[in-house]
Structure formats: structure tokens, C-alpha cells
Amino acid sequence: MHIAHLTINTSARIGAINPRLFGSFVEHLGRSVYDGIYEPGHPLADGDGFRTDVIDLVKELGVTAIRYPGGNFVSGFNWEDSVGPREERPTRLDLAWHTTETNEVGLHEFQRWLDAVGSELMLAVNLGTRGTPEALELLEYANLAQGTARADRRAANGRAEPFDVRIWCLGNEMDGPWQLGHRSADDYGKVAAQTARAMKAFDPDLELVICGSSSSSMPTFAEWERVVLTHAYDAVDYISCHAYYENTGDLASFLASGIDMDHFIRSVTATADHVKAVRGSDKTINISFDEWNIWYNSRYENVDKITGVDNWPIAPRLLEDEYTVADAVVFGSLLITLLKHADRVTSASLAQLVNVIAPIMTEPGGASWRQTTFFPFAATAANATGIALDVTPVSDSYPTERFGDVPLVDAVASLDESTGSIAVYVVNRAVDAGTSLEIDLPSRAHPGTYAVTARTLSDADITASNNRENPERVALADNTTVSTDGGVLRIDLPAVSWTEILLTPQNPVTA
Ligand code: AHR
């Protein structure tokens, strides 16, 4: 057994946790929309054709804002194709994923689905094959109350009140050579700045996200951020980060993926703050980590990629990764990393939501189920509210090929000041043994005892997963080893595990 120790100090504040940290992403890709959230022939479909079992799971997951409609898809998308009478909407090719887009679900339908799941729309504009004029036209269509041809067209299309989209992405992954309309940082920075200034001329309170790097291993990483922010600093509010991790056989490094995410966030905030200093600005640019997840991208590149001039399927099975316990533990550790930067990461999107690298899976005409990654997300989204607290643990380290020596245990906590409740999130990266964790509780803040519960995700078989045949093989389980003794909490963390500990004050705080 390894040992680890941490202290909860309610003064060690990182920052307020923005609910948008628990956002997600729906792209017109594979079976995310069609045969995912939307399946009119399904016995559980509602009047709009949306699966109510999926709506219930999305609500249970607790996603706050949903980025839409892409992703790589948005860089070749004409938004006008997806509004108006369905029978008049054109069928188009999607060059990003080599599929056919029917446009059966568009902006209006997606907003109705968002209303059903209770999430905010985060809308991306196409700065790949299109530019500033089309972005402005979409903005006017979506957000102007009435009185112009576009606003009136929206009303005629069934939506009298504006969509009032508050947060917008200025394109997608424009640093990536795979992106339609990919360009240099200088060229993209100019287009993004021009588009952002024009959008803010319409509404200065819009929140705009400029594209950062598609991963920290991009050859242009950090210089891309410096250049695009130098062009657009005054006009944008966030810079994006995207990161996907996969187990390539080096489990030790995979379990330490949070180290890369941490380095990514620190590098981008440093670069943004450098531009701020050079400009003498008093405005701070925050991070929208609007694509993050485990993704077996090598499987897509080598096996599933669609090709062929005459081969453009509708809603094929693409990027349908089946997540293991080890994947979910790494996934949970990424959530810990995001929370450790809650002061600067004020928006994030789990990519994606249904069927495509997703926490929720469906079968056409059949069942839906929770992947292993569903559990850390749902627990954290439900309970990590209020202020993020720095609780940096003391633990042994282990060697990794990619990141050198890495601490076995990582953790973060949150404090809800309205209730005094504290949530602690801990990952144990040890593969050889469990870790006995001791936590010094903030007993002076709450002189009474805390009611303590803990749930852990782990398994003797770290390759176990949930799937159609066995949809409930993996779930969170109560961790019954948790105990408190005065101001000290003790808990055993199994090897390769993710744990949530909830502390609820039993006596009201007295002045
Ligand atoms: O989420 C899948 C894809 O990953 C997105 O379309 C793209 O933005 C990223 O490369």
C-alpha cells in the first residue's frame, strides 16, 4: 500500500467554478445527431423525433452548455441549409468526415432539444470555407429580435423570440492542416479579429472564443496563441484549447495525461498574459477548453476513416470508442486538472456527448447506456460547485516515459459556501497497489462533524467497460473504507482509481 496526505484549507482558493466548465459538444458527425439524440422512429422518441431516454441521460450527466454544430464539420457548413422548411433543405456532402448531411436537424431543432435537456447553446461559425459576412448573417438571424429580413425569416421559420446565443466560437481548429480553410496564425488572426469586432459591433456583450491550438504537440503551439491574440486581444474573451488522450500501450504515461493538460493550460495562460502585458491591457483572456476527452484517434485514422468518391454514408458508425475503467480514471483526472485551473478555465466542453467518443451510447431502435466515463463527469458536474480549492497532495512518485516522475495521487476540492459542503476528487495512478490517503479536514470552519460519503471508480480488471451486451458492468461504488477521526479523514484508494468524497457539515456554522 502506498500512502498519501492532503490538507483541506478553505482559504486556499483557486477561483470560482464556472458552471460552463461542465459543458459538452454535439457535432454533426457519425451517429451523434442522427441515430443518437434524434431518431424519430424510436419507440421513445418525442414529438420532435428526439429520444427521451437520451434526453434523460444528458440531464443526469448534468452538462451545462453544448458546443454545436462542430468541430471539423463546421468549417464546411452553410448554416442557411439547416433552417426553413425541412422539405426544402438541401442534402450536402460533409468533406470533414466524408459523409452525407441531410440537414434534417438544424439550428431550430437543436435549440428545442437544448430546451428539453436544459443546456445553453454555444454556437460555432464557419471561418473555414466562409468568413465574416456569413458569421454576421447567422448572428443577426439568431439574435436580433425583429425588423430585418433575417430576423423575420427566423420568426417565419417558427421562432419569434431570438435564440440569444451568448457564447460563440470563431471557427474550429484553424491551426490544423486537416481543417477546411486551415491557414497561418497571421491570416486566421486577422479574420478572427475582423469577425469578432463586427460581431461585437452588433452586441458588445457577446462572449467570443478564438481558436487556439488543436493540441499541445502542434508544431505551432504557443506561437499560434501569441500571434492570434496579438491580432484579436481586444475583441475576444476566450482562447480555445483542445486535447485528446489515448492509451498507446504505455499505461504509466497514459495515467499521467493530466500532466500534459496542466502544461497546456499553464502555457496558454502564460502566452495570453504575455500579450496582455505587451499591450498594457487590463483585460484577461480566459480559456475555453472546448474539446477534451479520451479518443482512440489512431483507430479512426487507421481503421474507420471513410474514403471513396462514391462513398458518402449518412450517419455511419464513426469514433464509437468503448471506454474502459482505465480510460474513465484518466478522464476523471482530466476533470481534476480542469478544476485546478478554475480561475482561468472558465468554459470547457467534453467532446463529445452521444455515440461519438461519448459518455452516452445508443442503438437504433434499441437501448441507451452509460459508458465508464459518464460516472466521473456526472458526479463532478453535480457536486463540484462553488469555489475550487488547492489541496495539492503529498505522495510518492512513479516513473513515466513521457512525463518523467509523476505523483501517484492528484486531487482537487470544491467548497460550496452556501451550504459549507466540500467535495474532494482524487485520482490514484498507482498500478501496483492501492494508496492509503489521509486528509486533514478544516475542522475549525465547521466545529461539528461532517457527514462523509465516498464513491470510487475502479475494477480488478481495468479493461472492463460497459457495452450493449453488458451495459452496467462498470459503475461508481460506495467506498466503505472511508472514516473520520476528529479532524482526520482516512480512505483507501484502489490501484488505478478515481474517487469522489463528499463532506456535508452536520452542525450549522456559528459566528
Ligand atoms: O471531436 C472530434 C474532432 O476532433 C472535432 O471535429 C475536431 O474539432 C477535433 O479534431
Side-chain angles (χ1 to χ4, degrees):
M1 197 78 152
H2 301 280
I3 55 168
H5 178 263
L6 66 84
T7 301
I8 299 174
N9 174 357
T10 53
S11 301
R13 291 161 179 245
I14 298 167
I17 299 166
N18 191 314
R20 279 197 187 135
L21 203 64
F22 303 110
S24 186
F25 175 33
V26 169
E27 176 167 7
H28 282 250
L29 192 187
R31 299 192 307 123
S32 173
V33 174
Y34 308 111
D35 280 356
I37 66 171
Y38 177 77
E39 193 188 334
H42 193 279
L44 296 176
D46 66 13
D48 287 321
F50 292 119
R51 285 182 63 153
T52 53
D53 56 337
V54 175
I55 288 172
D56 290 345
L57 284 173
V58 173
K59 284 179 170 169
E60 184 185 326
L61 190 64
V63 295
T64 49
I66 300 185
R67 186 167 172 254
Y68 177 83
N72 295 340
F73 171 82
V74 81
S75 294
F77 175 58
N78 295 347
W79 68 267
E80 305 89 330
D81 294 344
S82 80
V83 300
R86 267 191 173 142
E87 59 284 5
E88 291 171 21
R89 295 184 197 169
T91 293
R92 302 278 191 206
L93 295 185
D94 165 28
L95 295 171
W97 301 104
H98 211 90
T99 57
T100 296
E101 171 58 51
T102 62
N103 283 306
E104 207 174 328
V105 171
L107 181 58
H108 291 251
E109 293 79 21
F110 192 69
Q111 181 63 60
R112 280 208 292 281
W113 181 79
L114 285 172
D115 292 342
V117 298
S119 294
E120 180 189 6
L121 176 60
M122 180 187 203
L123 200 55
V125 301
N126 175 357
L127 291 187
T129 57
R130 310 185 98 191
T132 308
E134 296 86 355
L136 289 176
E137 286 158 19
L138 173 57
L139 174 61
E140 184 185 323
Y141 180 90
N143 279 14
L144 184 71
Q146 58 187 12
T148 68
R150 289 190 189 96
D152 293 348
R153 198 167 131 225
R154 183 197 65 241
N157 287 338
R159 171 107 188 178
E161 72 280 15
F163 291 100
D164 194 27
V165 182
R166 303 318 308 161
I167 183 162
W168 296 73
C169 301
L170 301 167
N172 178 69
E173 294 191 345
M174 300 308 300
D175 64 325
W178 59 85
Q179 199 71 211
L180 284 172
H182 158 64
R183 58 199 80 172
S184 69
D186 202 40
D187 288 348
Y188 169 68
K190 286 178 190 156
V191 171
Q194 172 182 294
T195 307
R197 287 191 188 112
M199 290 177 78
K200 290 230 170 160
F202 173 84
D203 179 353
D205 295 331
L206 294 177
E207 295 175 66
L208 303 181
V209 184
I210 196 167
C211 292
S213 292
S214 304
S215 84
S216 64
S217 57
M218 294 301 287
T220 50
F221 177 58
E223 181 61 1
W224 172 278
E225 280 79 356
R226 187 191 68 76
V227 173
V228 303
L229 283 177
T230 298
H231 282 293
Y233 199 90
D234 293 337
V236 301
D237 305 279
Y238 299 86
I239 184 154
S240 71
C241 297
H242 290 181
Y244 294 99
Y245 302 94
E246 68 181 294
N247 184 357
T248 54
D250 173 5
L251 179 62
S253 297
F254 177 56
L255 288 166
S257 299
I259 302 288
D260 175 76
M261 187 186 241
D262 182 76
H263 157 77
F264 196 161
I265 294 168
R266 287 179 196 278
S267 305
V268 174
T269 51
T271 306
D273 291 348
H274 166 77
V275 179
K276 174 181 181 173
V278 169
R279 299 174 70 89
S281 174
D282 57 8
K283 171 182 169 182
T284 298
I285 298 289
N286 284 330
I287 290 177
S288 171
F289 216 117
D290 49 39
E291 288 188 33
W292 69 271
N293 202 351
I294 313 302
W295 176 12
Y296 286 81
N297 189 22
S298 52
R299 232 176 263 166
Y300 168 70
E301 290 292 341
N302 303 320
V303 183
D304 292 338
K305 205 168 193 164
I306 299 167
T307 54
V309 180
D310 294 320
N311 183 26
W312 302 87
I314 297 173
R317 290 180 188 259
L318 275 179
L319 281 59
E320 300 203 3
D321 289 351
E322 183 173 319
Y323 292 121
T324 66
V325 168
D327 292 332
V329 168
V330 173
F331 179 100
S333 79
L334 299 177
L335 279 164
I336 290 172
T337 305
L338 290 172
L339 284 166
K340 284 167 74 174
H341 291 283
D343 54 335
R344 295 302 291 270
V345 183
T346 50
S347 173
S349 312
L350 159 61
Q352 298 195 8
L353 188 58
V354 180
N355 287 335
V356 170
I357 43 174
I360 298 168
M361 299 299 291
T362 71
E363 268 305 304
S368 53
W369 64 95
R370 302 164 187 81
Q371 291 236 52
T372 57
T373 52
F374 185 99
F375 302 103
F377 191 99
T380 313
N383 297 315
T385 52
I387 311 289
L389 300 178
D390 178 5
V391 293
T392 306
V394 177
S395 73
D396 290 340
S397 293
Y398 73 107
T400 71
E401 185 113 335
R402 275 195 65 193
F403 308 110
D405 286 349
V406 169
L408 285 174
V409 173
D410 195 15
V412 72
S414 65
L415 166 68
D416 186 330
E417 292 180 296
S418 64
T419 60
S421 298
I422 292 173
V424 188
Y425 298 93
V426 197
V427 63
N428 181 23
R429 298 170 173 136
V431 290
D432 57 339
T435 296
S436 169
L437 174 67
E438 212 173 75
I439 300 179
D440 285 334
L441 299 174
S443 47
R444 271 186 303 168
H446 290 288
T449 55
Y450 286 100
V452 180
T453 57
R455 294 184 299 169
T456 291
L457 190 98
S458 70
D459 203 283
D461 175 8
I462 62 167
T463 68
S465 60
N466 293 340
N467 52 38
R468 186 168 36 161
E469 289 71 39
N470 204 350
E472 295 183 359
R473 165 71 179 78
V474 178
L476 283 175
D478 288 342
N479 188 323
T480 53
T481 67
V482 71
S483 66
T484 51
D485 179 6
V488 178
L489 180 151
R490 292 187 183 83
I491 186 167
D492 291 344
L493 310 171
V496 190
S497 64
W498 178 92
T499 296
E500 173 187 69
I501 304 164
L502 299 179
L503 302 160
T504 312
Q506 293 304 281
N507 292 338
V509 186
T510 46

